Amino acid sequence: MKRNHTLLIYIGCLCLAVFAACQDNLYYTLYQDLPKKEWDSNDAICFSIPSAEQDLDVTVTLGVRTTTSFRYKDIVARVEVLEGDSVLSVTPLNLTLYTDENGLRKGMLLNENYSKPQPFHMQAHHNYTLRVTHLMRLNPLDEVMSVGVIVER
């Protein structure tokens, strides 16, 4: 009995440590839902990143949520980093939406996929905006539920 109690305490402490470790690196995240589940290449999706109190080296990851009816294996997107009206950088990103041959995920209502994290240096007290558009020939992209960004330290 005492051994089981000690084991439960260790497992509880481990879970708390993992939870606390995972939370410290998240700086900002936001998903924006798309009307009619369509992403038009002419519609830029903008994310205002909160300014930092000190210089930070972060990574930016683009996330896309699609329905299971989405027909394509990849989405090519462009992420522009703006400070005010000035474009600081432009990065094309490829999001691989699935790796199996038929692309179906049984029992899932939507697929959530991410780009590779991109490094970015944020200067203290500067306001940045990420402007995201897709570069696909098909327009609009149907079955795209939402697009988001994750900024981690």
Side-chain angles (χ1 to χ4, degrees):
M1 179 80 167
K2 187 175 182 179
R3 188 175 187 184
N4 287 339
H5 182 70
T6 304
L7 181 62
L8 286 175
I9 290 173
Y10 284 132
I11 290 173
C13 290
L14 179 63
C15 288
L16 285 174
V18 167
F19 179 74
C22 291
Q23 298 304 312
D24 285 344
N25 62 348
L26 182 62
Y27 181 76
Y28 172 82
T29 186
L30 179 67
Y31 273 82
Q32 294 188 29
D33 293 334
L34 300 176
K36 301 178 190 174
K37 296 187 279 187
E38 292 182 345
W39 187 8
D40 192 295
S41 64
N42 296 315
D43 296 334
I45 303 169
C46 295
F47 301 91
S48 296
I49 310 300
S51 64
E53 293 296 318
Q54 59 191 19
D55 285 7
L56 291 177
D57 288 314
V58 298
T59 58
V60 177
T61 304
L62 181 64
V64 175
R65 294 176 180 155
T66 62
T67 68
T68 54
S69 301
F70 190 76
R71 301 178 299 228
Y72 303 97
K73 294 182 181 180
D74 298 292
I75 294 177
V76 179
R78 177 178 59 216
V79 177
E80 298 172 292
V81 178
L82 297 100
E83 184 178 7
D85 291 334
S86 301
V87 177
L88 301 179
S89 67
V90 178
T91 305
L93 291 178
N94 188 49
L95 289 97
T96 302
L97 300 183
Y98 49 81
T99 55
D100 60 349
E101 285 185 22
N102 60 10
L104 299 176
R105 294 184 181 176
K106 303 287 189 233
M108 301 293 287
L109 297 177
L110 62 90
N111 293 325
E112 187 166 357
N113 297 279
Y114 306 97
S115 68
K116 291 182 182 177
Q118 301 295 311
F120 177 62
H121 180 75
M122 292 178 54
Q123 293 181 353
H125 308 291
H126 287 244
N127 294 315
Y128 297 101
T129 300
L130 301 178
R131 184 168 55 197
V132 182
T133 54
H134 79 77
L135 301 175
M136 303 289 284
R137 280 186 276 171
L138 178 67
N139 195 41
L141 290 178
D142 293 331
E143 305 302 322
V144 178
M145 305 280 290
S146 57
V147 177
V149 295
I150 302 164
V151 180
E152 296 176 289
R153 296 177 215 196

